[in-house]
């Protein structure tokens, strides 16, 4: 596989979790003219339901290929998403919450980097943002810059002077901005899944991710298509 597909379009590897942010990021990559190679990581997370959302989104956006890659991070634990630890429901608190999965975005971007180099691609898309988020260290601009520098030193392409670019188009957006961007792109936000602790097929309504999602729709002044078990 090469960087250019049969239609003459450049490929980009997009990390597609199934969440709202990753859906919008993938749509932006498509709008910018990239053919999408969608990578979803099944890390045996508590909210495995997001994998079904990722499959729907990849299909709707016409991804050239969608890989769901299994890596069982429950073997490590250390997070309420990968261990027998309760998901906090008290609201977004200062500091790094227990929903942080150790080195998750570093692991995921490394996998995306491997796929990109294998297909001679040089563009990676990641749906992180550093404004309305839960305080994760791997959602900051410094992390993106550091990973690009790592990629330049850790790959054959990089040491030969052919650098990789990590695109984080939502990096400086609020959740309301992201909701508005989804609407601008004509996306059905109801396809996406955000909740860390699903309740009978519904979003729980109380975890940090649900609260940020609700806040985004409310501040954007747009209807929220999400079904919540409860609302705070």
């Amino acid at each position: 596989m090469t960087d250019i597909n049969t239609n003459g379009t450049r490929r980009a590897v997009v990390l597609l979790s199934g969440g709202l942010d990753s859906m919008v990021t993938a749509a932006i990559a498509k709008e910018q003219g990239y053919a999408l190679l969608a990578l979803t990581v099944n890390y045996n997370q508590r909210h495995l339901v997001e994998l079904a959302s990722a499959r729907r989104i990849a299909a709707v956006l016409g991804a050239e290929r969608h890989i769901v890659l299994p890596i069982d991070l429950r073997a490590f634990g250390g997070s309420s998403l990968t261990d027998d630890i309760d998901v906090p429901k008290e609201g977004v608190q200062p500091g790094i919450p227990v929903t942080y999965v150790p080195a998750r975005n570093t692991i995921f971007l490394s996998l995306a980097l491997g796929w990109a180099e294998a297909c001679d691609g040089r563009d990676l898309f990641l749906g992180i943002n550093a404004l309305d988020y839960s305080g994760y260290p791997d959602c900051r601009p410094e992390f993106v810059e550091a990973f690009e520098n790592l990629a330049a030193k850790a790959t054959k392409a990089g040491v030969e002077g052919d650098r990789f670019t990590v695109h984080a188009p939502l990096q400086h957006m609020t959740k309301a901005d992201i909701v508005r961007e989804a609407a601008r792109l004509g996306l059905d936000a109801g396809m996406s899944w955000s909740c860390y602790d699903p309740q009978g097929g519904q979003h729980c309504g109380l975890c940090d991710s649900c609260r940020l999602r609700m806040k985004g729709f409310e501040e954007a002044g747009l209807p929220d298509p999400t079904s919540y078990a409860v609302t705070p």
Side-chain angles (χ1 to χ4, degrees), residues 5 7 11 42-43 45 50 59 66 72 74-75 84 93-95 107-108 110 121 131 136 171 199 206 225 230:
N5 69 10
N7 296 321
R11 293 184 173 101
N42 175 357
Y43 58 101
Q45 59 268 50
E50 71 176 356
H66 181 208
D72 188 2
R74 280 192 174 271
D84 295 326
Q93 303 294 322
I107 294 167
F108 290 2
S110 296
L131 295 180
Y136 301 150
Q171 195 163 78
Q199 302 294 313
L206 297 176
V230 297

Side-chain angles (χ1 to χ4, degrees), residues 119-204:
C119 72
D120 292 329
R122 299 295 177 262
D123 296 280
L124 315 176
F125 278 78
L126 177 67
I128 58 175
N129 75 300
L131 295 180
D132 282 345
Y133 74 118
S134 295
Y136 301 150
D138 52 2
C139 287
R140 299 171 300 153
E142 302 96 301
F143 167 73
V144 172
E145 181 181 1
F147 192 89
E148 284 186 337
N149 290 332
L150 169 69
K153 298 180 185 300
T155 61
K156 178 177 181 292
V159 299
E160 291 177 350
D162 197 1
R163 289 182 64 94
F164 293 84
T165 300
V166 178
H167 303 264
L170 312 185
Q171 195 163 78
H172 302 294
M173 292 187 184
T174 65
K175 193 64 75 174
D177 293 332
I178 295 167
V179 168
R180 293 188 193 100
E181 188 71 352
R184 182 190 71 79
L185 291 161
L187 298 170
D188 174 10
M191 288 193 301
S192 64
W193 184 273
S194 299
C195 179
Y196 292 147
D197 192 24
Q199 302 294 313
Q202 293 180 294
H203 284 59
C204 75

Side-chain angles (χ1 to χ4, degrees), residues 14-18 38-42 51 54-55 66-70:
V14 182
L15 283 168
L16 183 65
S17 69
L39 177 61
T40 301
V41 182
N42 175 357
L51 302 182
R55 290 186 178 95
H66 181 208
I67 292 177
V68 179
L69 194 66

Side-chain angles (χ1 to χ4, degrees), residues 1-18:
M1 186 182 288
T2 63
D3 180 33
I4 307 297
N5 69 10
T6 55
N7 296 321
T9 304
R10 292 181 64 194
R11 293 184 173 101
V13 177
V14 182
L15 283 168
L16 183 65
S17 69

Side-chain angles (χ1 to χ4, degrees), residues 201-222:
Q202 293 180 294
H203 284 59
C204 75
L206 297 176
C207 70
D208 288 2
S209 190
C210 280
R211 290 174 186 267
L212 290 169
R213 184 180 175 107
M214 283 185 205
K215 177 175 177 278
F217 281 99
E218 181 180 354
E219 292 183 353
L222 293 170

Side-chain angles (χ1 to χ4, degrees), residues 30-52:
K30 181 178 180 180
E31 183 180 55
Q32 291 179 359
Y34 290 96
L36 306 183
L37 298 177
L39 177 61
T40 301
V41 182
N42 175 357
Y43 58 101
N44 205 6
Q45 59 268 50
R46 179 188 295 263
H47 52 310
L48 276 171
V49 64
E50 71 176 356
L51 302 182

